[in-house]
Amino acid sequence: MSTITSSSTTTGRERLGLRLALAGGALLLVSGLLSWSFEPIFGDISIRLWPVSLQVFAMLIGLTAVALALSPTVLRRALGWVHAGPGLWALGIGATAYTALSLAAIAVEAGGLINANEGAWIALVGALLLLGGGWMVRDRPRAPEAFSAQGPATVEIVTIVAICALALAAAAYALGRDDAWVFVLFLLTLGVIGTALARAEVFEWLGGAAGRHQHVLTLGAFAAAFLFPFTQDGSEINMSIATLVLIFAATAIGLNIVVGLAGLLDLGYIAFLGAGAYVGAIFSGSVSSSIGWTPPFLVTALMGGLFAALLGLIVGSPTLRVSGDYLAIVTLAFGEIFRLAMFNLDGNNGPDLTNGPNGITAIPNLSILGFDFGESHTIAGVELSRAANYYLFMLFITALIVLIFARLNNSRIGRGWVAIREDERAAEAMGVNVFGLKLLAFAGGAFLAGVAGTVKAHYDTSVTPDQYQFLESAFLLAAVVLGGMGTIAGVILGAVVLKLMPEKLRFFSEYRLLLFGLLLVIMMRFRPEGLVANKRRQLELHDDDQDRAAQTDRSPQTKEALQ
């Protein structure tokens, strides 16, 4: 398909701004090849022509700036459309913040700014030039082609595959960082580049490309996730974090049915994960279990999912007749009731099933078709630890859960849930079985959480009531909202952020949750629709986007370009 050319012309001021931004990006690229400090810190940034850590991050920002500055004449031909002005402005702000924070890190670790070398100062000059150039082009009119631009199919497919590979590399790099400053500056770099690309509306183009090549995106994403253990060199700690992220993500996808599709606020969802975990523990053959029967894990997983779904039906039948704040209070109470009930099923206050506050411990590792998940295995010369075994198994389960969610979302049932979320009374007037679909959402989401819980019990080797508190439900809900309600990729990304960030911010000790909360507040302020936004929700939360879409529909330039 031929690309669409912009109808707007570039003024002298804008040309100057693009040149300044290009010069700033070039200086950032050059700074990465120079020495940043006299001291060998942050992977030894004192060496010239051998960029590491902070130097590489500056070069990535510079490369993005060069690409956006050249976009009106170069990238437009390849991608079909790029809107550089707001992206360069956001990138200039972010680059200035990054270089200032880098200088602060050097001052703290090396004993003062006197130990900062020429590379850091050239990076600061480049960032300021980029900031000035971005300010000059920040108001460049938006082109209506953004909503219909389409590049060559080969370029789109290669871009999708490259993004999957970059995501794999970024995840592996982030988990491998032990230095506090390097990890924070790496996150800042990703945030700066991501914000700039979002403001440049590159993600608009990527969203369209992903929609046109969904199978390529799905296969690429799961291929990258499958290859992740082979990048960790047998690190048990990193794979443990990754496994917990997958368990958390699978559970959040189940909650996404309830909150994201049906629009029901559930604050006690962690109880369904706990129900599956207790079923998995009770029938695991643990010495702490009062039941001696140990069925195959597939049977146990189905039992855990069905038991959680049954709890969803029991809770949902009387409570789904209320809505809004009242529903939230009732589900919050259910979560606490479940936790307290597990305390009391100790043989004294009730049946001997859960061993009370001591929980069920010494849960054996999974063994499926003779494959022992507790032992290390060597595949393709790479040793896969216990955590890696559970990671790959959980990846398979997550793929099934994603498939179920996608099928439900695109079915008549999914459309009914969306109708209920948008306007319950209007949906009921149109013949939608509101109560039945609400109940199905509760039971379906609970089933998926229950299945994930059975795996979690074996991975944790113990199940106690204190593991399933309200805070965990709040984190699950935050993953859905932060990632993007109603989306699959968004919820997975939200789960990754919410699980990875607290783990890697432990060096801030008691302040890590405070900093984490501030990041969430900033995120909700500037992108309330989530990291991966549902198009309908994005238009609801941004009036300017609605106006822009309306103007695009009426724009004579759009009609002329489409002709």
Side-chain angles (χ1 to χ4, degrees), residues 519-538:
L519 290 175
L520 292 182
V521 170
I522 294 173
M523 177 66 198
M524 289 296 98
R525 167 59 182 85
F526 293 101
R527 194 170 176 83
E529 68 272 19
L531 294 171
V532 181
N534 178 280
K535 293 299 181 183
R536 180 191 298 271
R537 183 167 175 80
Q538 189 174 25

Side-chain angles (χ1 to χ4, degrees), residues 387-532:
N389 296 332
Y390 278 98
Y391 170 86
L392 293 174
F393 182 60
M394 199 61 217
L395 180 63
F396 172 74
I397 293 179
T398 303
L400 293 179
I401 291 176
V402 166
L403 179 63
I404 293 171
F405 180 90
R407 293 298 182 184
L408 286 174
N409 189 21
N410 296 324
S411 68
R412 183 178 180 181
I413 294 174
R415 291 191 293 271
W417 282 333
V418 173
I420 293 172
R421 183 192 68 195
E422 297 298 323
D423 193 324
E424 182 176 330
R425 294 185 181 275
E428 189 171 12
M430 295 300 293
V432 176
N433 184 357
V434 173
F435 182 75
L437 287 180
K438 282 184 175 182
L439 208 56
L440 180 61
F442 247 73
F447 178 85
L448 299 181
V451 172
T454 57
V455 181
K456 186 177 188 299
H458 286 273
Y459 179 71
D460 291 342
T461 69
S462 66
V463 177
T464 59
D466 288 334
Q467 293 176 325
Y468 306 100
Q469 299 181 13
F470 164 71
L471 185 61
E472 296 298 323
S473 291
F475 265 69
L476 285 169
L477 182 61
V480 174
V481 176
L482 176 67
M485 291 195 295
T487 66
I488 297 174
V491 172
I492 294 177
L493 183 58
V496 171
V497 172
L498 285 174
K499 271 298 181 182
L500 179 61
M501 288 284 287
E503 290 294 333
K504 301 302 290 186
L505 290 177
R506 288 186 180 276
F507 49 77
F508 285 118
S509 187
E510 65 270 16
Y511 297 106
R512 65 189 179 99
L513 290 180
L514 173 62
L515 295 174
F516 183 57
L518 289 175
L519 290 175
L520 292 182
V521 170
I522 294 173
M523 177 66 198
M524 289 296 98
R525 167 59 182 85
F526 293 101
R527 194 170 176 83
E529 68 272 19
L531 294 171
V532 181

